[in-house]
């Protein structure tokens, strides 16, 4: 049986760091409130000229170096993002062009914060069916460009960044199983109202656009759904939660992560946490957390990892893999 296996990881964060103290100067908030309600201490914010594709390219180069592959080897590019540079051409073709890669399929997937999990799942199918031999899979976002910096209920949460992995075929176990889900009945709990053909654009009031979120309700569904999809992934493979070496969750909020880990009976020592330094970077959060764990030596070859995410839609997903 052929598996797809992660052979290299990389991440890139914009230079500018915004601390909770910086936010105190912009909105009526406090470091204490943000830390206790979200776990976020600082976040990286893209500069005016930084595009999502720039972040992608920087993260991709690091993942390719780690995997020891060159641009000639890449035969598939899949990017999960909600903040592409343009509506079209799709961002994966922009990354392709910036990296000097020609001819391979390149496309993006929009599933909000679950974008990377959807992208990884898709690339896994290309590899395991023999269609691709070396996939570049990225989760990237400049979500702060959608943030209303006068809305304290959302602006304290988000940050920008990109995480990338290289996926190749292997005879030994890599990705074991992928579990995706979505339910559009929750569309109004977390969304951004502007896009091509949106009602606001039609009404000519685009400038009012901002991230709209019912935080309390999102919180409750997130905890329940993340616990559910994690259990589904383990049960599908007859694996007990004690066998997991690392949980790598979407970094939306420390309290959501704690509640999910508790439901799984996993101590926080077995959870990779980046929310304090990155904030919620949407589709970038899981691959960046993976890269943090790999590069600081906590995640080792052969260990069992559970990646999971949840986002607007709602969308959700989990990937169980042996690193
Ligand atoms: N600073 C200070 N006070 C704030 C604040 C801020 N940045 N944001 C909100 N508040 C206030 C509210 O106005 C409210 O005041 P009130 O009681 O006088 O009305 C109070 O804090 C409590 O607000 P509430 O929304 O109930 O707080 P909470 O404990 O639910 O925390 C979130 C808010 C957003 C942190 C939390 O609901 C959350 O994380 N939800 C999930 C969001 C998420 O993860 N989204 C992305 C999913 S991928």
């Amino acid at each position: 049986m052929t598996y797809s296996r992660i052979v290299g990881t990389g991440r890139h964060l914009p230079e500018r760091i915004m601390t909770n103290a910086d936010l105190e100067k912009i909105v009526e908030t406090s470091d204490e409130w943000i830390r206790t309600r979200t776990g976020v201490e600082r976040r990286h914010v893209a500069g005016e000229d930084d595009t999502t594709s720039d972040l992608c390219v920087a993260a991709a180069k690091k993942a390719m170096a780690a995997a020891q592959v060159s641009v000639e080897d890449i035969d598939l590019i899949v990017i999960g993002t909600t903040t592409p540079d343009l509506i079209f051409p799709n961002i994966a073709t922009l990354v392709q062009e910036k990296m000097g890669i020609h001819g391979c399929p390149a496309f993006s997937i929009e599933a909000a914060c679950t974008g990377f999990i959807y992208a990884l799942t898709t690339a896994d199918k290309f590899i395991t069916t023999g269609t691709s031999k070396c996939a570049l899979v990225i989760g990237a976002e400049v979500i702060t460009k959608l943030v209303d910096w006068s809305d304290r209920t959302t602006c304290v949460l988000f940050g920008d960044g990109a995480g990338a992995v290289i996926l190749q075929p292997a005879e030994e176990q890599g990705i074991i199983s992928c579990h995706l889900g979505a339910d559009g009945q929750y569309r109004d709990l977390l969304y951004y109202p502007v896009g091509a053909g949106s009602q606001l654009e039609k009404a000519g009031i685009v400038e009012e656009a901002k991230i709209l979120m019912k935080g309390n309700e999102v919180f409750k569904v997130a905890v329940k759904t993340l616990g559910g999809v994690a259990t589904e992934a383990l049960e599908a493979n007859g694996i007990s939660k004690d066998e997991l070496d690392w949980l790598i969750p979407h970094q939306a909020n420390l309290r959501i992560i704690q509640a999910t880990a508790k439901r799984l009976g996993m101590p926080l020592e077995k959870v990779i946490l980046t929310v304090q330094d990155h904030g919620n970077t949407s589709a970038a959060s899981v691959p960046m957390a993976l890269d943090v764990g790999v590069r600081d030596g906590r995640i080792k070859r052969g260990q069992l990892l559970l990646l999971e995410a949840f986002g607007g839609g709602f969308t959700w997903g989990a990937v169980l893999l042996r690193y």
Side-chain angles (χ1 to χ4, degrees), residues 29 42 53 84 98 160 210 235 315 317:
T29 190
R42 62 192 70 80
S53 65
K98 284 184 181 179
D160 302 324
K210 61 176 188 175
E235 283 181 3
T315 56

Side-chain angles (χ1 to χ4, degrees), residues 28-29 33 37-38 113 152-153 156-157 190 213 215-216 218-219 250 252-253 255-256 280 310-311:
E28 188 63 42
T29 190
W33 192 97
R37 303 286 178 128
T38 73
C113 302
R152 69 176 184 173
T153 66
V156 301
L157 304 175
L190 177 56
M213 182 177 76
N216 280 313
V218 173
F219 193 102
H250 172 45
N253 179 314
R255 290 188 297 141
I256 294 179
N280 179 350
F310 175 88

